[in-house]
Amino acid sequence: MNKYVISSSILSADFTRLGQQIAEAESAGVDWLHVDVMDGHFVPNITMGPFVVEWCRKATKLPLDVHLMIEKPERYIEAFAKAGASGLTVHVETCADMHNTLKQIKSLGCWAGAVLNPATPVGEIEPFLAEADLVLVMSVNPGYSGQSFMPESIAKVAHIRQKLDELGSSAWLEVDGGISTQTLPKMKEAGATAFVAATAIFKNPQGIEAGIQSLRSLL
Ligand code: DX5
Ligand code: ZN
């Protein structure tokens, strides 16, 4: 595995030709495909479910990095794993029993991710750092792509980097929201190793490949 990964979020893709857009990202050398699942309760927007993950699984060999922005995510872990998710990331704000849910995710053969919102104190995720395969720090309020990066998240990433290092954890430290050629270097400097981008890839005026390459050139 690479030391750093780029995870392209299909939230900004053109869904009339999703398969082609995924193929383009894959041939441009993106590492993971990020799937943003939203339920209209935990976040205001409604997006996609296991059905879309199943079709993504058929469209690509890329690992599917599935971000669950839903209430009671434990109800859907099995469905997303069966649909072909490679990793499932759940929010500390909405998960009643994080330890058990992370365990359940791993038992289904997926990597287990834990994520926190910009307004959530970093202490809320600390009890789960040792068992997470991936820790995600949101740098926007989840719900939509194309929002402005919140610079407060940089210190959070640095803090979690330090805690992961103290634990000797090799978990991915992922960042999501407003990641661009301007903000990626700051997050990398703070210790992030996985970078989610929707707008900077799928809405790049020069095209998907150029979007991926410009981010990659900074890693
Ligand atoms: C936000 C999602 C992100 C989003 C990122 O709720 O979790 O993955 O797609 O979009 P950009 O890269 O445009 O900020
Ligand atoms: Zn996301």
Side-chain angles (χ1 to χ4, degrees):
M1 271 259 187
N2 298 333
K3 192 178 167 213
Y4 295 108
V5 297
I6 298 175
S7 193
S8 52
S9 163
I10 58 170
L11 194 56
S12 289
D14 176 350
F15 269 60
T16 62
R17 46 196 188 94
L18 184 59
Q20 276 165 262
Q21 299 235 306
I22 291 173
E24 224 178 295
E26 185 167 8
S27 63
V30 88
D31 302 285
W32 298 347
L33 205 69
H34 186 85
V35 182
D36 285 306
V37 177
M38 306 187 189
D39 67 353
H41 291 275
F42 177 61
V43 290
N45 200 4
I46 302 178
T47 57
M48 38 207 149
F51 182 71
V52 173
V53 171
E54 211 177 306
W55 282 99
C56 288
R57 184 67 294 152
K58 290 177 185 161
T60 179
K61 291 200 165 54
L62 290 173
L64 301 179
D65 173 31
V66 179
H67 177 190
L68 297 179
M69 289 159 275
I70 60 177
E71 279 179 7
K72 300 193 177 124
E74 59 282 356
R75 292 175 303 169
Y76 292 100
I77 298 299
E78 204 174 329
F80 281 103
K82 277 198 182 136
S86 310
L88 289 169
T89 299
V90 291
H91 274 262
V92 289
E93 300 86 5
T94 184
C95 203
D97 187 347
M98 227 15 207
H99 289 294
N100 204 37
T101 304
L102 293 174
K103 210 165 111 189
Q104 191 194 352
I105 294 172
K106 290 185 197 187
S107 75
L108 291 162
C110 298
W111 76 67
V115 43
L116 82 174
N117 274 343
T120 307
V122 79
E124 301 284 315
I125 208 166
E126 281 177 14
F128 316 111
L129 293 181
E131 63 213 83
D133 300 311
L134 177 147
V135 179
L136 170 56
V137 175
M138 291 306 300
S139 36
V140 297
N141 283 311
Y144 301 92
S145 56
Q147 302 183 78
S148 303
F149 178 79
M150 297 169 79
E152 311 87 274
S153 56
I154 300 171
K156 235 179 196 176
V157 170
H159 180 87
I160 294 175
R161 172 81 276 153
Q162 192 187 334
K163 295 282 170 194
L164 287 173
D165 288 350
E166 280 166 19
L167 288 165
S169 164
S170 57
W172 294 105
L173 180 46
E174 187 174 58
V175 290
D176 183 5
I179 298 300
S180 66
T181 51
Q182 275 76 50
T183 58
L184 182 146
K186 297 174 191 164
M187 290 303 225
K188 183 186 169 211
E189 172 78 28
T193 54
F195 304 86
V196 177
T199 306
I201 293 176
F202 289 103
K203 293 246 166 86
N204 188 295
Q206 267 78 52
I208 294 171
E209 184 176 359
I212 292 166
Q213 278 169 4
S214 61
L215 295 174
R216 173 82 68 207
S217 69
L218 301 167
L219 295 173

